Every structure is written in structure tokens, then in C-alpha cells.
Amino acid sequence: MAFKASPKEIIKKMILNKLNIHAVNKDKVTVPEYAIFNLPEKVLQFGTGVLLRGLPDYFIDKANRQGVFNGRIVVVKSTDQGSTSDFDEQDSLYTLCIKGIENGETIEQNIISSAISRVLTAGKQWDQILELAASESLEIVISNTTEVGIQLVEDDVYAKPPLSFPGKLLALLLHRYKKFNGAKDKGLVIVPTELIVDNGTKLEEIVIMLAKRNNLPNGFIAWIKNHNSFCNSLVDCIVPGKPDAEQISNLQTELGYEDNLLISSEVYRLWAIQGDRKISEKLTFAKADKGVVITPDINLHRELKLRLLNGTHTLSCGLAYLSGFDNVKSAMDDASTADFISNLMRNEIAPAIPYKVTKEQTDDFSYKVLDRFRNPHINHQWLSITANFTSKLKMRVVPILLQYQEVFKSAPNLMALGFAAYIRFMKPEIQKGTEVFGSFEGKKYLINDTKAAHLADLWNKNSQDKIVDAVLNDTLLWGDKLTIIPGFSKAVNQYLSKMDSQAALKEMVKSEIAKIQS
């Protein structure tokens, strides 16, 4: 009798790569056309991380499938740690599993991305990277080297390779400048996606400083400034990365192949890039998806994300966690808590954003955020969101509080409830060295906050009826005395005095929502 392989054994024999593309079931996954593999390499990308593969690379892949951008990506792996074997064995193909909620509807889509042509390691293949830098086809540089990557460090532009990301970029630009004799039309569009404000501006400043410290010619420095475009950008997409082992097994059984690079992402994605028509003419992949926004001012998108998404998370995390909800999705499954989050975002935060924004814009963004919060495939833990609770409140929420008072001359009740939950969450139960732990209904938790010891000291020095004013008046925490907001301290005090159980917290939420709906 002939041996018959099991489905799992068949999967192990079929690895995702160009050779096996023809055998992939197109009913289960979007498969690239072979013509895409012959497209020129137009993008140099620093970073192999899941955010880049799930966001910028998704847009480029989508544009290529539509015949719009027609260019592929060469990825630079900056460190020698780990290997590129998975990329090499799979011809840099990988599956992107998109799952989430959009306009109230469940979306599930599997795509084999062919955006990346190859992956090169800086320490071992620097000459090949320089060769690409001097190619006619190269037009764009993308990066995500974490916030640490965009920093000025002493670096040698002639090293192979230079130590830092800005040093590597400078070396590539110098090589390109020499190759094309400083031609004006050979400059590049450089779009960092690191999560820092004005990332493009800061990267350009560092590159220029490094050029001067390496005593590079003034003509080259002028070419960098005048004929290369460093674009500030903002990215917004949750890309959890590789699913757990059980999900991977189920997906590979469904798809019929093995993929060691498979990642998942949510449906929502935004890449806001600061630029003009000249930039739009280069970044033609923006035509393929409305999630790419090229605009002279990305601050609107930054404010919407910072206030409506991040600010709502911050004001809700303490309350939701103490109420017994472990993750965002479970809180959104509770009608009263979901109503609290929605009303907090749309009726208190949105009208107090300290930036010129319309109600239509805040409504549209809010509904998308609420869809993201309901996504059953994203396990976003409230306790994780409480990390650096204090600094997040200062940056994301305090400006809204002050603007709300300026506009409405009163205290926002739901924000007050969120602030009261913050103060209760920060109450110390146990201190072990530099670590501070809180406790609620017998459940102990780590207060992961740089101001945890300071808040513990305030709690230890003040009785409960004094702690609110002590916290709100602490300019070390907020930069302002928040007691200047009429009625805010009183409202926070009233909520905090009742926070003795999960049942009490949930009842407060229900009561506030009932007032709004009556």
C-alpha cells in the first residue's frame, strides 16, 4: 500500500516561495502575479520589523498589484544579530493576515506580499547596499529603526558600515552624490516612520551635523539640503506580528503552505506624510489606498490620534482595569463601559482638542477608533496601557482639560471620573525597593510609572479627602495646577470617595451614562 502523507506533513513540504506560488489556493489568499518579481528596486528600507511590513510595505504591495507604483523594496538589516534565512528561503514573500472591524463589518483578508525583493545585512553586504544607493531606479528611503535610531552619535561615514542609522544614510547619500556628480534630479525622498515628532526634520538635522563632523564638502551638504526631501510622517496601525502557535497552525492548514514570516494586522491603517505635489509625484503608491495621506501639514492627523485614540485609552485604562476588564475588547463588550468610552471620546475630548478641527473630522475618526477598540483579534491589555500613566495624562489629556475649561467654563464629568480612577490606581499597597504595587479588591498589580514613588509619597502624606488637591496641585506632575478648572477637584473627589469596589465603579459609569442619555 502506498504511503499517504497527512495534511500537516504536506504543509511542511510546501514552503511559501516563488517556486510554489503556482500551487497556492487563490480562493484562500491573494497571490502576486509573476510580473511583479521583475519590477525595479525603487525603495531602500531600513528595518525588517512588523510595522514596516504591515503598513508601508502593504501600501507598496497593493500599489504594485494595481499597476500604480511598480517598484520593489530592498530591506537593510542594520544589525548582525539573527539571520535573514527566512527571507532568503521564502524569496522575501510573506503572508499578511488582516482582521478587524470596519464600518461595523467584520473584515478578514489574507495577502501574500511581494513588496520586498531581497534583504541585505549591513555588516556583511555593505558593498551591495552602496551599489543600490548608486542605482538609477532608487527613489525612496523608508526607515523604522525605533526612536533610538534617530540620534546623533559620533560616526565615521567611511566605515563599512557606519555605526548609526543616520551615519549609514549619510554614507549612502555621499556615494550617490559622487556616482551622479551631484545631479539635482538624483536626490531621494526620505520618509522615516519612527514614532517621534518631526522625525524627518530631526533626521535631516542629524545627517547634516554628521556631514560637517566628517568634514564633507560644502557642495555635498548643499545637495543634501536642496535636492533631497526629508518628510515628517506619522504611522498608525496595530501590527501585533506573528500569531501564536495555535493560530499559526490553523492558518497554515487553511492556506496550505508553511510561512515563517506570516504576520497579522488590524484593518485600519494610516500613513500621513508631510509633503507637497512634488512628493506626491514620487510617492505614487499613495494613489492605491486612502490610508496614505500626503499633506503639507500632518499635525491634524497627529492631534486626532493623540487625543481621540491615545487620550481616550489613557483616561479609560485605570477605570476599566479597576472595574475588572483585562483588555480593551472585553470593556467594549460591556454596554455601559462602551458608552462611557464613546461619550468620553466624542462629547468631551473631541470638542476640546487644542487644534483647529471640524466636528465632521472628529466624528469620522472617532467611529474608526471605536471599530478598532472592538476588534476581537487585538488583545490590548489595559494594564499595559497604564504604563507611564502620569506622563501620558500630562501629554495627552491635560491640554484637553485646560482647553475644555476655556471653551465650556466647566469641568468635564467623564474626564473627572477617569482622573479619579488614575489617582485610585496609583494608590500604593506595597513598596519593594523602587517597585510600587497597587491593589484593588485583593488583586495586586505593578504600577509601571516613573512617577509611582512620587505618587506613593503623596498618598502616604495625605488622607483620602486631601489626596485629590495634593495631586491636582502638583505642578511637578502637570506643569499647571489643575484645581484652577472650576468644579474639577470637587468632581474628582466625589468619584474617588466611592471607588471601593468593582461594583461601585460600574455603577458610577452607568449613572454618568444615564445622565447623558436622559
Side-chain angles (χ1 to χ4, degrees):
M1 182 181 292
F3 174 76
K4 187 176 181 181
S6 70
K8 286 189 176 180
E9 288 171 326
I10 293 172
I11 290 169
K12 287 181 180 179
K13 292 177 183 177
M14 181 168 160
I15 297 173
L16 176 62
N17 55 32
K18 286 195 288 186
L19 182 65
N20 294 326
I21 278 287
H22 72 282
V24 173
N25 186 343
K26 294 182 180 180
D27 293 331
K28 300 289 186 180
V29 60
T30 299
V31 178
E33 298 291 336
Y34 277 99
I36 288 177
F37 299 129
N38 297 319
L39 293 176
E41 295 172 334
K42 296 170 68 172
V43 182
L44 183 62
Q45 174 176 298
F46 285 85
T48 60
V50 295
L51 177 64
L52 287 171
R53 291 199 283 132
L55 189 67
D57 298 359
Y58 164 83
F59 291 130
I60 289 171
D61 179 67
K62 184 175 181 179
N64 286 341
R65 283 187 277 113
Q66 294 179 8
V68 175
F69 180 64
N70 297 322
R72 301 184 79 201
I73 303 166
V74 175
V75 174
V76 175
K77 187 174 180 295
S78 293
T79 67
D80 291 333
Q81 295 178 347
S83 74
T84 63
S85 60
D86 286 337
F87 287 95
D88 298 337
E89 290 170 8
Q90 296 186 192
D91 298 312
S92 296
L93 297 172
Y94 63 92
T95 311
L96 178 61
C97 302
I98 301 169
K99 296 183 178 182
I101 298 174
E102 187 173 48
N103 298 323
E105 295 185 5
T106 299
I107 304 292
E108 292 193 17
Q109 185 181 17
N110 300 315
I111 299 168
I112 294 176
S113 175
S114 55
I116 299 172
S117 62
R118 53 188 170 136
V119 178
L120 302 175
T121 302
K124 299 174 182 176
Q125 297 166 299
W126 186 242
D127 287 340
Q128 292 182 50
I129 296 167
L130 287 176
E131 183 181 347
L132 177 67
S135 69
E136 288 280 355
S137 63
L138 185 66
E139 296 179 355
I140 301 162
V141 175
I142 300 171
S143 70
N144 194 300
T145 55
T146 76
E147 294 83 343
V148 178
I150 301 184
Q151 287 190 9
L152 177 64
V153 298
E154 292 301 326
D155 212 342
D156 178 7
V157 72
Y158 298 107
K160 294 189 175 183
L163 177 66
S164 66
F165 162 55
K168 291 182 178 70
L169 178 58
L170 176 61
L172 297 176
L173 291 173
L174 179 61
H175 189 70
R176 188 172 181 83
Y177 174 80
K178 290 178 177 178
K179 171 70 175 180
F180 294 109
N181 297 313
K184 295 178 181 180
D185 63 343
K186 297 303 180 183
L188 302 174
V189 177
I190 299 157
V191 191
T193 66
E194 287 80 358
L195 298 177
I196 58 175
V197 177
D198 296 331
N199 44 22
T201 301
K202 290 177 180 175
L203 178 58
E204 181 177 14
E205 290 172 349
I206 293 170
V207 167
I208 296 296
M209 282 189 276
L210 276 177
K212 291 178 179 178
R213 291 187 181 189
N214 279 268
N215 298 312
L216 298 179
N218 290 333
F220 168 60
I221 294 174
W223 180 80
I224 294 176
K225 292 179 179 178
N226 299 326
H227 304 298
N228 293 267
S229 300
F230 289 77
C231 302
N232 295 323
S233 86
L234 169 71
V235 291
D236 186 9
C237 181
I238 299 173
V239 187
K242 194 171 185 176
D244 61 36
E246 182 179 355
Q247 289 176 309
I248 284 283
S249 177
N250 292 337
L251 277 167
Q252 293 188 151
T253 300
E254 177 188 353
L255 298 174
Y257 57 81
E258 188 175 273
D259 181 357
N260 290 322
L261 296 172
L262 183 149
I263 59 172
S264 62
S265 81
E266 66 172 334
V267 175
Y268 179 85
R269 47 178 56 82
L270 170 69
W271 191 10
I273 302 169
Q274 193 161 299
D276 53 18
R277 188 175 66 179
K278 178 184 173 183
I279 299 301
S280 296
E281 289 171 355
K282 287 285 187 182
L283 308 184
T284 54
F285 55 77
K287 298 175 183 177
D289 194 289
K290 62 183 179 180
V292 184
V293 179
I294 300 174
T295 174
D297 182 11
I298 64 170
N299 288 321
L300 168 63
H301 299 280
R302 189 182 307 284
E303 282 293 311
L304 290 172
K305 177 179 183 289
L306 182 67
R307 309 306 176 188
L308 295 176
L309 173 63
N310 302 137
T312 302
H313 261 163
T314 301
L315 276 168
S316 303
C317 63
L319 182 66
Y321 180 76
L322 296 178
S323 296
F325 300 108
D326 289 332
N327 56 48
V328 176
K329 174 62 169 60
S330 63
M332 294 301 293
D333 287 339
D334 179 79
S336 295
T337 307
D339 283 342
F340 168 84
I341 290 172
S342 176
N343 279 279
L344 169 67
M345 184 190 306
R346 296 177 59 240
N347 299 327
E348 289 194 355
I349 295 177
I353 292 176
Y355 192 85
K356 189 176 181 180
V357 58
T358 67
K359 186 176 186 301
E360 182 182 19
Q361 288 169 325
T362 58
D363 280 349
D364 179 66
F365 195 85
S366 295
Y367 290 129
K368 290 175 181 175
V369 169
L370 292 170
D371 275 346
R372 298 172 75 184
F373 286 179
R374 296 186 186 100
N375 189 345
H377 303 287
I378 303 295
N379 184 22
H380 208 166
Q381 297 288 309
W382 285 117
L383 190 59
S384 297
I385 297 172
T386 66
N388 294 316
F389 206 158
T390 308
S391 63
K392 288 177 180 176
L393 277 174
K394 180 181 180 180
M395 180 175 68
R396 301 170 176 178
V397 175
V398 168
I400 298 172
L401 269 173
L402 297 174
Q403 181 70 5
Y404 191 98
Q405 185 268 334
E406 183 73 21
V407 174
F408 298 102
K409 311 299 180 186
S410 63
N413 287 336
L414 302 184
M415 287 195 221
L417 178 51
F419 230 96
Y422 156 76
I423 295 174
R424 178 59 186 84
F425 180 87
M426 299 297 287
K427 183 177 182 180
E429 181 72 20
I430 303 169
Q431 290 182 255
K432 295 181 179 179
T434 58
E435 290 187 326
V436 180
F437 294 86
S439 178
F440 194 73
E441 287 203 346
K443 185 177 181 180
K444 188 175 76 170
Y445 53 87
L446 174 67
I447 302 175
N448 184 14
D449 193 305
T450 57
K451 300 295 183 183
H454 183 74
L455 266 294
D457 188 52
L458 290 178
W459 265 105
N460 292 331
K461 289 180 178 178
N462 292 275
S463 57
Q464 180 144 324
D465 62 330
K466 302 290 185 185
I467 187 63
V468 169
D469 279 356
V471 172
L472 297 185
N473 279 326
D474 195 324
T475 55
L476 177 67
L477 298 176
W478 319 117
D480 287 283
K481 291 188 176 182
L482 302 185
T483 51
I484 63 172
I485 302 170
F488 188 62
S489 176
K490 181 180 179 181
V492 174
N493 251 313
Q494 288 176 341
Y495 292 129
L496 181 63
S497 67
K498 301 173 184 177
M499 289 185 174
D500 53 10
S501 67
Q502 289 182 4
L505 282 166
K506 290 178 179 178
E507 186 56 41
M508 274 188 277
V509 169
K510 286 183 181 178
S511 176
E512 288 305 319
I513 296 304
K515 290 177 188 176
I516 293 169
Q517 294 175 344
S518 63

